[in-house]
Amino acid sequence: ICEPVQALHGAAELAVRCDGDNKLLLGSEDDGILNQKVLKAEIRGANWSWSGKPDASRKGAFQMWIRVSGHLRCDTVFFSFQ
C-alpha cells in the first residue's frame, strides 16, 4: 500500500483506521493499537509493524513505513492528524 497523505508542511503524524470504524489502528504517542511505544502487534488476525515516527530534530527527507502481513479484514484509511 502506498498512497500520499495530505498534511501540513513539516507534519508527519501518520494514522490508520478501518473504514467505517473510528478505532485507530495506528495513532500518535498513546492513541491507536500501534503507536510510538508499540511498533508491532497482531491486529484483526494480521501482523502489523511500522517504523515509528522520525526524530523531531531531524532535518530533511525521511521515510516512514507500515507493513501488514496477513489478510486485512477491513478497508484501511490512511490520514494525517492536522
Side-chain angles (χ1 to χ4, degrees):
I1 301 171
C2 184
E3 58 185 80
V5 175
Q6 297 297 320
L8 298 173
H9 180 73
E13 291 289 334
L14 179 65
V16 181
R17 66 175 172 77
C18 280
D19 193 23
D21 184 349
N22 288 329
K23 183 169 184 164
L24 286 176
L25 304 177
L26 170 64
S28 61
E29 294 297 324
D30 297 316
D31 298 333
I33 297 170
L34 291 179
N35 53 49
Q36 193 62 15
K37 298 173 186 169
V38 179
L39 301 178
K40 296 180 182 182
E42 184 177 324
I43 302 172
R44 298 184 180 198
N47 293 313
W48 290 62
S49 60
W50 84 294
S51 61
K53 291 191 320 184
D55 182 359
S57 65
R58 182 178 173 163
K59 303 291 184 208
F62 62 88
Q63 286 187 337
M64 287 179 23
W65 54 264
I66 184 167
R67 181 175 295 131
V68 179
S69 178
H71 179 73
L72 293 176
R73 293 195 166 99
C74 66
D75 291 332
T76 53
V77 177
F78 288 75
F79 61 100
S80 178
F81 292 112
Q82 299 295 328

